[in-house]
Amino acid sequence: MSKLQKILVRARRQVFSEMVGNNPSIFQGEGYDFIELREYMPGDDIRHIDWSITAKMQRPFIKIFREERELSVVVVSILNGSVHFGSKKFKQETIAEVAALLGFSTIKNGDLLSSYIFTDEIISYIKPGKKLYQIHKNVEDILNFNAINKKVDFKFISDTLFKRLKRKSLILIIGDYFEIPDFRLLARKHEVLSVIVRDRLEEHPPEMGFASLVDPESGAVLEGDFNASSVRAYAQKVAAHDHKLFDTLRHDGIRFTKIYTDSHEVVEFRRLFEGR
């Protein structure tokens, strides 16, 4: 199987086979608003029986719901040069896996799915729909994109989404976030969630001695002695950056999760969507 097929099959299996019982979707909720209680009548769905009220009243009562409008889910993948990195697999591949998982979850939930790929410009856009081929196309575009020497422009991304998305949406923005975004305006109009994709090696690199490293975003070559002291100083800078990033996202009312290239994405997303 190709890498694309493996990602699609794995994500589809996780969503349609593993997410059962009390966790039908990573998007919590049934898509309905509770309105009132009334006595059970023959033919009513027994899954809507309120057992607490039934026990108190000594006769069955059910919950009446009003169906909500379908949710508009927008999956945004950011493919600047730094995603072309990974100790076991590239972050770019993990972004593709996350996009597939979110896509299948959206379709299973009966919601509208659209997707974007950004650098400092729009690379691709798939209009809203409920077709499985949309997921295939988006994941294929992510995997096939040459991210080397590409830069990210968070202001362009935020401004573009603000102007183009007329309907209130759930926007999931996937990237490695080595720059700090300003999503305040976007978050006032939509619900924005940040998915931070990292490789553990880039946060805690090993001692390498004298070495030459290439920045996949700028193409710059960095040569030096990557001893214990310099590696520790680097790790401290990354930690300080992330502390500032998390504070900014919290201040702007944006929930977030960090997913590593060796993480189990479903577990991380369930934590993120708890209490949504």
Side-chain angles (χ1 to χ4, degrees):
M1 294 177 67
S2 68
K3 186 178 294 184
L4 171 63
Q5 290 174 313
K6 287 179 180 178
I7 289 174
L8 293 172
V9 168
R10 177 172 174 265
R12 186 167 184 167
R13 182 184 298 122
Q14 285 178 309
V15 171
F16 287 91
S17 299
E18 296 179 11
M19 291 182 179
V20 295
N22 293 326
N23 293 288
S25 171
I26 60 173
F27 301 133
Q28 196 167 18
E30 296 183 75
Y32 295 87
D33 275 337
F34 171 69
I35 301 176
E36 61 180 355
L37 288 166
R38 69 160 168 80
E39 280 197 68
Y40 174 85
M41 297 175 61
D44 286 337
D45 191 337
I46 61 172
R47 293 176 299 175
H48 293 160
I49 291 178
D50 187 314
W51 295 106
S52 176
I53 299 298
T54 295
K56 290 178 182 178
M57 303 299 292
Q58 294 298 302
R59 58 185 187 275
F61 277 76
I62 67 167
K63 295 178 179 178
I64 306 299
F65 296 90
R66 177 181 63 239
E67 190 171 358
E68 293 179 343
R69 293 193 331 173
E70 60 194 359
L71 186 66
S72 171
V73 179
V74 184
V75 177
V76 178
S77 302
I78 302 175
L79 300 182
N80 52 308
S82 57
V83 303
H84 189 79
F85 176 85
S87 52
K88 298 185 184 299
K89 62 182 177 184
F90 283 174
K91 290 182 286 182
Q92 187 166 345
E93 183 177 338
T94 300
I95 290 173
E97 292 172 349
V98 170
L101 185 62
L102 293 172
F104 282 121
S105 295
T106 302
I107 298 300
K108 182 185 178 184
N109 227 37
D111 296 321
L112 278 174
L113 172 68
S114 60
S115 58
Y116 288 84
I117 297 175
F118 281 99
T119 55
D120 55 358
E121 60 182 349
I122 297 177
I123 301 303
S124 74
Y125 165 64
I126 299 175
K127 65 182 182 180
K130 299 182 179 182
K131 303 296 186 182
L132 291 175
Y133 85 86
Q134 296 174 247
I135 305 168
H136 184 288
K137 179 68 168 62
N138 186 43
V139 174
E140 184 177 36
D141 288 347
I142 293 170
L143 290 175
N144 290 339
F145 183 69
N146 182 6
I148 295 177
N149 295 330
K150 303 298 183 182
K151 301 183 184 300
V152 61
D153 184 340
F154 276 120
K155 185 178 186 308
F156 173 76
I157 294 171
S158 181
D159 290 347
T160 300
L161 293 173
F162 186 86
K163 293 174 183 176
R164 293 181 64 141
L165 300 177
K166 306 301 182 184
R167 175 179 172 183
K168 183 175 175 62
S169 303
L170 171 62
I171 307 174
L172 299 113
I173 304 177
I174 317 164
D176 60 12
Y177 285 83
F178 277 114
E179 293 186 25
I180 296 178
D182 182 355
F183 290 147
R184 284 175 296 177
L185 186 61
L186 190 63
R188 290 176 190 168
K189 183 178 179 183
H190 305 280
E191 182 176 3
V192 181
L193 284 79
S194 290
V195 182
I196 304 162
V197 175
R198 296 282 179 82
D199 188 278
R200 298 184 193 277
L201 193 65
E202 65 189 347
E203 294 187 355
H204 300 283
E207 297 177 39
M208 294 177 284
F210 285 95
S212 296
L213 302 178
V214 178
D215 183 339
E217 185 166 314
S218 68
V221 178
L222 177 64
E223 296 181 334
D225 182 5
F226 298 94
N227 54 34
S229 176
S230 60
V231 165
R232 185 168 55 251
Y234 166 82
Q236 290 172 349
K237 286 185 177 180
V238 173
H241 166 86
D242 283 357
H243 182 75
K244 184 177 180 182
L245 171 64
F246 299 159
D247 280 350
T248 300
L249 294 174
R250 290 190 189 100
H251 181 267
D252 293 346
I254 298 168
R255 285 183 295 138
F256 58 88
T257 188
K258 182 184 283 189
I259 293 177
Y260 291 97
T261 53
D262 60 353
S263 292
H264 196 294
E265 297 95 341
V266 173
V267 174
E268 299 302 327
F269 279 123
R270 280 183 177 163
R271 290 174 183 164
L272 177 64
F273 281 93
E274 280 177 1
R276 180 175 175 271

